[in-house]
Amino acid sequence: MTLIAAVAHDSRISIAADTKVTYEDDAIASARVFDLALPKIVLLRDELAVAISGARPTELIRQLVVRRDQELGEIIEHLRGVEDAGFIVASLGGPSIWTVSDGAVERVAAGELELEGDDTAFDDFTMLFEDSRRASGAGPGLYMAMDSLAGPGPWGRHPSVGGYSLVAATSDDGFRFASRPTTIAPRAEEPARASSGDSDLRVSIRLPAGNSSWYQSLVLGGRGRTPGAVGIFVLQAQAGRLFTHDRPYEGVTLSASDADDFARLARERGQELHLIQNPLPPL
């Protein structure tokens, strides 16, 4: 399972997803939420993106990539026949969002938050999204909510949601992955919450003793001839995972001294990544 979300706003579309893969009957692999992360948003072309949830995500991404040049209707028809999965299909023609699940196709109204995946996380995500949307707008609200649920902080209590938070959104060139830094905190104990108003939520957390390290990651979205590529670089590990435009269902680990070095190694493999300048402040 997983969690994917999308909203059409201000003639734009924003999409967010976690990157955790849950392996049936393999709790150890399922717990490797960082080194076995998988980008579950597929940028098929500039005007078309699909987010996936459910079982067999690697195979589902592979099936989508080989259909990259098909018409929108053909892709939706393919997704209608997929079992044990849910999809959010986003097209800039409109712009429009559809959900596809169990053979049913529904169009999502502009401004309406759409969620697929682990429904036990829907209420928490919706609350976080609405709170952030009031303060920062729909686009930032979407990725801020996903950051909270996917990360190991006080809201990261849904077993099938985790890893990194991936965001794709409308740009001048079409759909592109957002390049942005993230600081990951150690997993917190269950939070105590106190609300002091409709949009003011205060959270008190306790960090566990022992393994309390923090680390910084940087998501680098593809650009140029490889818009569907994604790189995830972890500063403290001096390594990252690269998912190429043509094969986003397979990750390769690259050891690199810093984000610039990681982007250079990606270029040697034909992948152009958008590098943020000075993205990671010291902890």
Side-chain angles (χ1 to χ4, degrees), residues 54-75:
R56 302 176 291 108
T58 299
E59 179 57 28
L60 295 177
I61 296 172
R62 191 194 310 268
Q63 293 175 10
L64 279 168
V65 169
V66 300
R67 291 171 169 81
R68 188 164 250 153
D69 296 326
Q70 289 185 354
E71 296 293 329
L72 172 62
E74 294 178 290
I75 291 173

Side-chain angles (χ1 to χ4, degrees), residues 89-109:
V89 181
S91 170
L92 295 183
S96 302
I97 296 174
W98 293 267
T99 61
V100 185
S101 181
D102 296 324
V105 180
E106 296 185 8
R107 189 162 183 167
V108 181

Side-chain angles (χ1 to χ4, degrees), residues 127 130-132 134 195-201:
M127 181 195 68
E130 294 296 345
D131 192 52
S132 297
R134 284 191 291 269
S195 178
S196 60
D198 292 339
S199 61
D200 181 13
L201 183 67

Side-chain angles (χ1 to χ4, degrees), residues 145-242:
M146 188 61 73
D147 283 349
S148 296
L149 261 68
W155 297 104
R157 55 174 174 250
H158 300 280
S160 71
V161 182
Y164 302 94
S165 179
L166 190 65
V167 177
T170 308
S171 74
D172 292 341
D173 298 316
F175 283 118
R176 293 293 185 271
F177 287 114
S179 298
R180 60 197 191 95
T182 303
T183 298
I184 303 295
R187 182 167 292 279
E189 297 178 7
E190 187 69 16
R193 292 183 288 166
S195 178
S196 60
D198 292 339
S199 61
D200 181 13
L201 183 67
R202 291 180 290 112
V203 180
S204 175
I205 65 173
R206 290 182 300 158
L207 297 178
N211 183 16
S212 58
S213 60
W214 297 60
Y215 72 88
Q216 299 158 306
S217 64
L218 181 63
V219 176
L220 303 174
R223 293 297 187 269
R225 295 178 178 270
T226 58
V230 181
I232 303 173
F233 176 74
V234 179
L235 178 64
Q236 283 73 17
Q238 290 194 314
R241 295 278 283 172
L242 175 66

Side-chain angles (χ1 to χ4, degrees), residues 232-242 252-266 268-269:
I232 303 173
F233 176 74
V234 179
L235 178 64
Q236 283 73 17
Q238 290 194 314
R241 295 278 283 172
L242 175 66
V252 57
T253 300
L254 303 178
S255 297
S257 58
D258 55 25
D260 290 286
D261 191 32
F262 180 76
R264 178 188 62 79
L265 293 172
E268 291 180 356
R269 289 159 174 79

